[in-house]
Amino acid sequence: MGKKKSQQPSPSTDDLLKTLGDFTSKENWDSFFTLRGSDDSFEWYAEWPQLRDSLLPLLQQQQQQPSPSSSSSSSSSSLQILVPGCGNSRLSEHLYDAGFKDITNIDFSKVVISDMLRRNVRDQPNMRWRVMDMTQMQFTDDTFNVVLDKGGLDALMEPELGPQLGNQYISEASGLHEALESENRIRGEYLSGSDILYSLEDLQLGAKGDLTKLNPGRRVQLTLGEQGVSRFCYKAVLLDAKQQSGAFSFHYGVFIVPKTRAHEWLFSSEEGQWQVVESSKAARLIMVLLETIHTNADMEDIQKDLSPLVKPLAPADNDKGDQIPFMTASDGIKQRNIIYQGSSSLTGPIVIEDVVYENADGDVNRSLPFRRLIFRRTESLVQSEALLTRDGLFDRSVYETELKKASSSSKIKRSGRQRRNNESSSKMKVYHGYLASSYHTAIISGFSLISSYLESVASAGNRVKAVVIGLGAGLLPMFLHGCMQFMQIEAVELDPTMLNLARDYFGFTEGKYLKVHVADGIQFVRDYRNLSAAGDMPPHESKDASSNEMLLSSNGSCNSSDAESRRKTTVDIVIVDVDSPDSSSGMTCPAADFVEESFLRNVKDTLSEQGLFVINLVSRSPAIKDVVVSRMKEVFSHLFCLQLEGEVNLVLFGLCSDSYIEEDCIPEATLRLEKLLKSKHPEISQSITDAAKKLRCLK
């Protein structure tokens, strides 16, 4: 689970709405921020993941310009940023963590400025907070390079008051008027671009050129259907492949995106849509994005309704007699039996299902079932997946037959119709000695990077401390607990519902050396770092009411050396495996806060000198991957990665030690890891060691 907002008693919606009658009223905003609290940020327009990739390059470009001060000794790298009407947005905090330290935030609400000062005084000590009216600012001319307005001007433009306050604010911020004029010009140009929603008639009249001919790189958004002509109306995107050379599987095709997936980056962003075109191998692809009105319609009915609407969009050299291929994602599920449907206030709707996969040779009777955990907010992803066996026991002959099917691991695309199976699965239980998820195999393979250290700790009779942020179904902690019994594992999970589901449906059990903390993962690491720096033992206590045992205690042996004392107050391995509640950002895992530089530095401070940080990154955007890799290079001494074949997952491994293992020495390190693994199945150990041999050094 990712980091969520603080779980404080929420004010009623009516109370909050009463405070927003007039956006220009200081009293209203004081009341609003008093009710909402300091930890529950209120963002206008967009949050950091949507702003970061566009905003940071602009600020970095501005950073190369002369500073506002006329002094020749001023450093061009010190960009002076003003954020008027800052509210309790986290924008300034993210900018500070990105390296822009000279930020002045102003707001006329004393309540919010006081809250923000308290919230940031420790982690962002150089950030400035001022109670000030943005229409009557008290700065000398040329104080700032950048005025960063995120909703401030909008709040001033109350219809009943007219533009008076807005104009007064603009006159206060030198150069803002010119910037607004420039923005209006850009908007005018943009409105003539490819994101206009065209009708079929517009296109047939030549609004975007001759549609009978393929135009490499053409992308047009359009509407299909109308009342009296079709059952439904549809939003669609026409895409002509950028490269028209080479073999295509289809000259023309239609790709239908279900409503539950239409918001995902892969289908909602232009970059993602081009990836779909490339993978579909179609010269022209019509991507149809289904909406709420299509929810109860059968997919066959949708295709029949669409067929006459998409035929006029076929290029002229397409054989009119050919049937238009309709495509959608498929997860190869033969049988599906939903055993749990519920909801959590933090995670939303949750489904647990038992499935049987399609067998390549058609022998479905030989297939073993798998149990899967799915969050509806990211319905296309399987959060956790476990092998089911009768009474949780292992049958090697059946296992060897079904091993190849296990490659359809978790966190892959899923679609297709739901099929309920009425057969009782009461005797089928999760088997914890098997890794159904290939990315779990990848995570463990990275332990080979510190296998010498693990071996030395284990041989000394001590325990390796591991923190796993994101419990899910508890499968990774349970496997480690069973196969690497020299570990002391602390799992951190924000949602108590997940802990209950892991226990009830996936056989998760806590023990002396496997504990769960129901806590915010970001805060857990921050608290541990602070206590570790002070030399104190972290006082986290189990949230399980049946146990008041102090957790994360020392290993029991007394050693007065500095190195041993340091090891007792640090963690050896930190694993982040959390989903993002906002898949539209382009990053499905982890939540954005877990790849911020501030969190990465806290992790490094928490780790022992030979410590290892592991993060499961799921993103189809090369730009997002590059940003995350760049940040980790800045923080960790050395960085390795493992790209999963056939999947989007990129597992990253950050090392704290200045010394590291050379790539040509990894095979030897994997042998040490294999000896440490006490798996009952050589096949499992072999898959882990095979994955370790694919590790690549990035730094």
Side-chain angles (χ1 to χ4, degrees):
M1 294 295 299
K3 176 178 183 284
K4 307 292 192 306
K5 294 180 174 66
S6 176
Q7 300 175 46
Q8 298 176 351
S10 300
S12 70
T13 302
D14 289 342
D15 289 339
L16 285 173
L17 289 176
K18 288 177 183 177
T19 68
L20 298 179
D22 178 3
F23 284 169
T24 67
S25 168
K26 182 177 75 67
E27 290 74 18
N28 283 357
W29 282 113
D30 282 344
S31 299
F32 175 83
F33 289 120
T34 299
L35 288 171
R36 194 177 180 94
S38 61
D39 292 330
D40 192 4
S41 298
F42 179 60
E43 302 288 352
W44 289 67
Y45 301 132
E47 298 198 19
W48 178 245
Q50 289 77 46
L51 296 173
R52 177 177 54 215
D53 292 343
S54 298
L55 182 58
L56 288 182
L58 292 173
L59 294 177
Q60 289 161 357
Q61 181 181 3
Q62 185 67 27
Q63 200 168 29
Q64 307 306 316
Q65 304 299 320
S67 66
S69 171
S70 59
S71 170
S72 60
S73 63
S74 296
S75 170
S76 62
S77 63
S78 180
L79 195 64
Q80 301 293 327
I81 301 175
L82 173 67
V83 182
C86 60
N88 65 358
S89 167
R90 293 192 181 273
L91 175 62
S92 297
E93 297 167 16
H94 290 303
L95 289 174
Y96 191 97
D97 292 340
F100 299 97
K101 307 298 185 184
D102 292 311
I103 303 175
T104 300
N105 304 273
I106 67 170
D107 201 294
F108 65 1
S109 171
K110 184 177 181 180
V111 172
V112 77
I113 290 295
S114 298
D115 286 344
M116 294 299 283
L117 182 60
R118 283 193 295 269
R119 192 169 89 185
N120 291 277
V121 68
R122 184 168 186 173
D123 292 334
Q124 288 89 16
N126 296 327
M127 192 114 70
R128 293 176 292 275
W129 304 91
R130 302 286 185 269
V131 178
M132 190 180 298
D133 189 332
M134 60 197 293
T135 66
Q136 298 178 8
M137 290 186 276
Q138 300 157 20
F139 301 110
T140 59
D141 291 344
D142 297 329
T143 300
F144 302 101
N145 306 82
V146 174
V147 177
L148 185 53
D149 182 298
K150 185 173 180 281
L153 178 61
D154 183 35
L156 294 175
M157 303 299 283
E158 280 284 344
E160 295 181 0
L161 301 177
Q164 179 180 353
L165 288 176
N167 289 336
Q168 188 174 342
Y169 163 50
I170 291 173
S171 67
E172 287 283 315
S174 176
L176 191 56
H177 186 268
E178 292 79 3
L180 288 173
E181 288 185 344
S182 175
E183 179 184 343
N184 288 333
R185 287 195 300 271
I186 293 173
R187 287 180 184 275
E189 296 169 0
Y190 178 79
L191 288 174
S192 64
S194 63
D195 278 4
I196 293 178
L197 209 57
Y198 291 93
S199 68
L200 180 58
E201 290 74 16
D202 293 334
L203 297 178
Q204 289 174 327
L205 290 173
K208 295 298 291 183
D210 187 356
L211 288 185
T212 63
K213 298 179 181 179
L214 292 169
N215 184 0
R218 173 163 48 191
R219 175 181 177 272
V220 183
Q221 294 196 115
L222 66 151
T223 58
L224 294 171
E226 58 182 301
Q227 189 173 2
V229 175
S230 59
R231 179 180 174 185
F232 297 112
C233 292
Y234 305 88
K235 286 184 179 180
V237 185
L238 181 150
L239 301 121
D240 286 348
K242 293 182 177 181
Q243 300 293 332
Q244 289 293 331
S245 59
F248 289 104
S249 299
F250 308 102
H251 197 65
Y252 178 55
V254 178
F255 192 95
I256 300 176
V257 182
K259 174 184 176 294
T260 55
R261 302 195 62 183
H263 70 285
E264 292 179 22
W265 176 89
L266 185 63
F267 307 114
S268 63
S269 71
E270 184 172 345
E271 183 182 357
Q273 290 169 0
W274 285 120
Q275 288 191 16
V276 175
V277 174
E278 183 177 353
S279 62
S280 71
K281 299 187 181 302
R284 172 174 291 174
L285 187 71
I286 306 297
M287 183 179 292
V288 180
L289 304 168
L290 300 185
E291 300 177 279
T292 303
I293 60 172
H294 309 116
T295 300
N296 296 322
D298 186 273
M299 189 59 70
E300 292 182 4
D301 293 337
I302 292 288
Q303 293 186 16
K304 288 179 181 178
D305 197 36
L306 277 171
S307 291
L309 302 178
V310 298
K311 282 182 179 179
L313 295 172
D317 49 357
N318 188 61
D319 190 339
K320 300 299 182 182
D322 287 349
Q323 183 176 0
I324 299 174
F326 283 83
M327 295 168 277
T328 188
S330 173
D331 60 1
I333 299 298
K334 181 67 176 179
Q335 297 177 347
R336 175 177 286 115
N337 178 32
I338 293 180
I339 61 172
Y340 171 85
Q341 290 189 86
S343 186
S344 160
S345 60
L346 294 174
T347 307
I350 301 170
V351 172
I352 299 175
E353 59 185 17
D354 291 349
V355 301
V356 176
Y357 288 105
E358 295 276 6
N359 195 339
D361 58 10
D363 187 12
V364 180
N365 293 327
R366 299 289 306 274
S367 298
L368 290 175
F370 288 82
R371 181 159 294 173
R372 314 199 311 178
L373 171 69
I374 297 165
F375 299 160
R376 289 295 191 191
R377 68 187 184 194
T378 50
E379 196 169 5
S380 62
L381 301 175
V382 179
Q383 300 296 327
S384 298
E385 183 171 29
L387 177 67
L388 291 175
T389 61
R390 189 164 298 277
D391 294 321
L393 302 176
F394 183 79
D395 185 329
R396 178 171 294 279
S397 63
V398 176
Y399 168 81
E400 291 175 349
T401 302
E402 300 304 324
L403 183 61
K404 293 182 180 179
K405 283 198 234 15
S407 60
S408 53
S409 60
S410 70
K411 301 200 174 178
I412 58 176
K413 298 177 184 177
R414 74 182 286 275
S415 65
R417 294 186 187 176
Q418 178 177 303
R419 179 173 169 179
R420 295 179 183 269
N421 186 346
N422 293 323
E423 293 183 9
S424 171
S425 58
S426 59
K427 294 185 178 180
M428 303 299 289
K429 296 181 180 180
V430 168
Y431 178 63
H432 291 109
Y434 178 86
L435 290 173
S437 300
S438 58
Y439 82 96
H440 280 167
T441 301
I443 287 173
I444 299 172
S445 73
F447 291 4
S448 61
L449 297 170
I450 59 169
S451 58
S452 292
Y453 174 70
L454 299 181
E455 187 179 54
S456 66
V457 174
S459 62
N462 292 323
R463 291 196 170 271
V464 172
K465 299 178 187 177
V467 171
V468 180
I469 300 178
L471 177 68
L475 302 177
L476 179 60
M478 285 293 288
F479 180 86
L480 293 175
H481 183 57
C483 296
M484 303 188 82
Q485 297 180 4
F486 56 87
M487 280 191 167
Q488 178 177 332
I489 304 167
E490 312 290 340
V492 184
E493 173 58 50
L494 181 65
D495 191 347
T497 299
M498 295 310 306
L499 176 56
N500 292 331
L501 293 178
R503 289 169 173 164
D504 296 343
Y505 292 92
F506 291 88
F508 178 80
T509 55
E510 295 176 78
K512 184 177 181 180
Y513 299 115
L514 173 57
K515 301 292 184 180
V516 177
H517 306 274
V518 178
D520 182 313
I522 300 279
Q523 188 64 44
F524 183 92
V525 170
R526 184 184 296 125
D527 291 346
Y528 201 106
R529 177 210 62 181
N530 294 339
L531 290 163
S532 176
D536 298 329
M537 293 309 302
H540 293 291
E541 295 185 1
S542 172
K543 299 300 186 294
D544 185 346
S546 65
S547 172
N548 291 319
E549 178 183 358
M550 191 73 72
L551 303 183
L552 291 176
S553 60
S554 74
N555 294 314
S557 61
C558 182
N559 190 323
S560 60
S561 70
D562 291 341
E564 181 66 12
S565 297
R566 164 70 178 164
R567 204 187 71 75
K568 287 183 178 181
T569 58
T570 56
V571 174
D572 299 308
I573 300 172
V574 174
I575 300 170
V576 172
D577 180 26
V578 297
D579 81 309
S580 171
D582 180 19
S583 61
S584 65
S585 66
M587 186 163 60
T588 308
C589 297
D593 287 344
F594 287 93
V595 291
E596 293 295 337
E597 185 175 343
S598 58
F599 174 73
L600 298 178
R601 293 198 180 279
N602 284 342
V603 168
K604 185 178 181 183
D605 292 341
T606 302
L607 287 167
S608 61
E609 293 179 1
Q610 302 295 322
L612 175 69
F613 175 56
V614 188
I615 192 162
N616 176 37
L617 175 63
V618 182
S619 175
R620 294 182 182 273
S621 170
I624 290 177
K625 289 182 180 179
D626 289 345
V627 169
V628 175
V629 167
S630 177
R631 289 178 186 169
M632 291 191 66
K633 284 182 177 179
E634 287 291 323
V635 174
F636 292 95
S637 301
H638 301 286
L639 186 65
F640 285 76
C641 75
L642 198 162
Q643 176 67 63
L644 273 61
E645 293 183 8
E647 297 188 33
V648 185
N649 304 63
L650 177 69
V651 183
L652 296 169
F653 305 90
L655 294 169
C656 297
S657 175
D658 290 335
S659 60
Y660 74 103
I661 186 172
E662 299 286 349
E663 283 189 12
D664 57 1
C665 296
I666 288 179
E668 181 182 347
T670 61
L671 293 177
R672 284 194 295 269
L673 178 62
E674 188 174 6
K675 292 178 181 178
L676 293 170
L677 284 167
K678 303 302 181 184
S679 174
K680 298 178 181 178
H681 315 293
E683 301 88 350
I684 298 296
S685 298
Q686 188 61 49
S687 66
I688 293 173
T689 55
D690 287 346
K693 295 173 184 177
K694 299 176 183 178
L695 289 165
R696 294 294 175 262
C697 182
L698 299 178
K699 177 189 176 184

